[in-house]
Structures are given as C-alpha cells and as structure tokens.
Amino acid sequence: PEDRFNVIAFSTGLESYPNQLRPASEASEAAVWVDRLGAQGSTDINRALLEAAAIVDAERPTYLIFLTDGLPTEGVVDSQQILDNLADSAPDNLRLFAFGVGYDVDTFLLDSLAQAHHGTSTYVVPGEQLDEVLSAFYARVSSPVMTDLELDLGDAQAYDIYPSPLPDLFAGSQIVVVGRYSQPGRTDVILRGRLDGETQTFRFSEQEFVRSSDPGESSQALPRLWATRKIGQMQN
C-alpha cells in the first residue's frame, strides 16, 4: 500500500501516465492508460531515462524497470553518452533493471545500465512470453534482503573483483563474486549492506585463501569464470 509508481512511454517523444509518482491504488487506471498506447515513431532512450530519474524520491528505494525493443534512434544516440547522462542524473537509491525484447537491442547499453545501477539485464527472444519473464522478475525483487553491498576481503589484497559494484541481494537468489588476490592465508571477510535503512555487518572469521588451486574440475573452472567477467567488464 505504501508503494508508488509511474509509467513513461517513449518513442520520438515522451508520454507519462502522471507527471509524478502515484499511489499503488491507481494501478488499474494506469493499466487502462497503457492499453491505449500504440507503437509509433523512433526511440529516445536518453530522454526517457532522464525523465524517470527526475521523479525519483531520493529518500526511498526506487526500481526502474526499463523495457525496450529497439536501439536509440532519437535525441542522444551514443550509448556511452546515455550512460554518462544517467550517471550524472540518477540518485544513488535508483536500481535499474533492463529488459531487451527481440534481437534489435543494444546489449552493451542495457548491460551497462544495469551494472552501473545495481540491477540486472534480461533478454526476451521472439515467441517468449514477456508476462512470464516479468512475473519471475517481480517474484525475485519483491523480497530484498540487503542493498548497497560492500565486501571486505581483509588481508587477502584482492583486486579485479567482479561484479563491481555489487548488485542488491534478494531472497532466494545468490551473488557470485570472482576476483584475484595476492596474499594467501587466513583472514576475516566482512560483508556490509543496508536493510530497512540500517547498516548490517556480517563477519566471517578465518576464511582461507589458498596459495594454489587443487587440480579438481571445480577449481579449473574458476579462472575461466573470472576471465569471462573481466572481459565483459572491459567491453562495457
């Protein structure tokens, strides 16, 4: 009941259901408004994202669900410039979840937007049921466990850690963090995050960072997993 929302339709221009966040009780009216929309014009992604960022309440967690089936073709069309513009405008509490529908989408842009704003990107191929994908997404993000995660790996002198920044943690999900370290041995690992506006700290004492991996199959996969993440980060 305390949730608020807005809906922004973008093509060559912008059309907004209201001009500010509205109470969840108006969802049925918004659905009627959405049903009247039609596909037309070009795709002004930059303006749509900036419009959404402008109405975010900086005091409350906000999820921006960004759906597109096309490339930026109107206004600012350079992907890096779009990323920079949103980075300059979005409050720290904005979490962006990108959905690319079809094959004609800018995966670099969507992946980078999600990573920069602690979210995820999802792709829906033709013939796949978008409502099922969105329902699964909602089930995952409806129960946040911790936000603004920070991982301190103690004396291991860790570097090249991915993902960076860390995404939020939701009930029933996990975050796989990979990286490198130069100081093997035992050290305390500390995880910090925010829950209901308060900082929570978890300490895991005497965690072992081995000097060399055993020849087992699982350890052989770790370098490949790390390299994949690093390459993805460099491409972004």
Side-chain angles (χ1 to χ4, degrees):
E2 301 301 320
D3 284 349
R4 295 177 296 166
F5 76 97
N6 192 357
V7 184
I8 298 173
F10 62 98
S11 53
T12 303
L14 282 186
E15 189 175 358
S16 180
Y17 164 65
N19 293 319
Q20 65 276 336
L21 295 172
R22 301 300 301 163
S25 58
E26 290 188 18
S28 57
E29 290 94 329
V32 173
W33 181 84
V34 169
D35 285 340
R36 293 200 296 263
L37 296 174
Q40 58 182 350
S42 301
T43 309
D44 194 340
I45 289 176
N46 180 75
R47 186 181 171 195
L49 292 174
L50 295 183
E51 183 82 6
I55 62 173
V56 172
D57 183 347
E59 300 300 319
R60 299 180 59 173
T62 301
Y63 292 166
L64 170 56
I65 303 173
F66 174 54
L67 298 96
T68 181
D69 65 351
L71 304 167
T73 57
E74 182 75 18
V76 177
V77 298
D78 179 71
S79 296
Q80 188 59 54
Q81 188 61 56
I82 294 173
L83 291 168
D84 293 342
N85 290 346
L86 185 61
D88 292 339
S89 304
D92 292 339
N93 62 317
L94 178 68
R95 301 295 186 258
L96 190 150
F97 297 86
F99 287 83
V101 182
Y103 298 124
D104 190 25
V105 294
D106 186 339
T107 56
F108 162 77
L109 175 60
L110 299 188
D111 290 345
S112 300
L113 284 168
Q115 180 175 318
H117 300 280
H118 302 270
T120 59
S121 51
T122 303
Y123 297 97
V124 185
V125 299
E128 191 173 0
Q129 294 298 314
L130 181 58
D131 57 345
E132 295 179 3
V133 175
L134 287 173
S135 296
F137 158 77
Y138 176 76
R140 185 172 74 250
V141 302
S142 60
S143 301
V145 176
M146 283 202 306
T147 63
D148 300 322
L149 298 181
E150 296 180 2
L151 186 62
D152 182 353
L153 297 177
D155 298 330
Q157 297 183 19
Y159 60 101
D160 271 351
I161 297 175
Y162 307 103
S164 179
L166 293 176
D168 294 343
L169 182 62
F170 299 96
S173 67
Q174 64 178 4
I175 301 172
V176 177
V177 181
V178 293
R180 306 178 72 183
Y181 59 91
S182 58
Q183 190 61 45
R186 292 186 176 272
T187 187
D188 292 350
V189 173
I190 300 174
L191 176 66
R192 296 183 180 91
R194 295 184 65 81
L195 177 62
D196 295 332
E198 297 184 1
T199 300
Q200 304 287 331
T201 301
F202 300 89
R203 179 182 295 271
F204 305 90
S205 301
E206 293 294 302
Q207 299 299 302
E208 183 177 8
F209 288 74
V210 298
R211 185 169 300 277
S212 61
S213 299
D214 62 58
E217 189 173 321
S218 60
S219 64
Q220 291 177 2
L222 288 176
R224 291 195 297 270
L225 178 60
W226 170 84
T228 300
R229 293 283 182 88
K230 182 176 178 66
I231 290 171
Q233 179 80 8
M234 293 173 66
Q235 290 177 333
N236 288 343

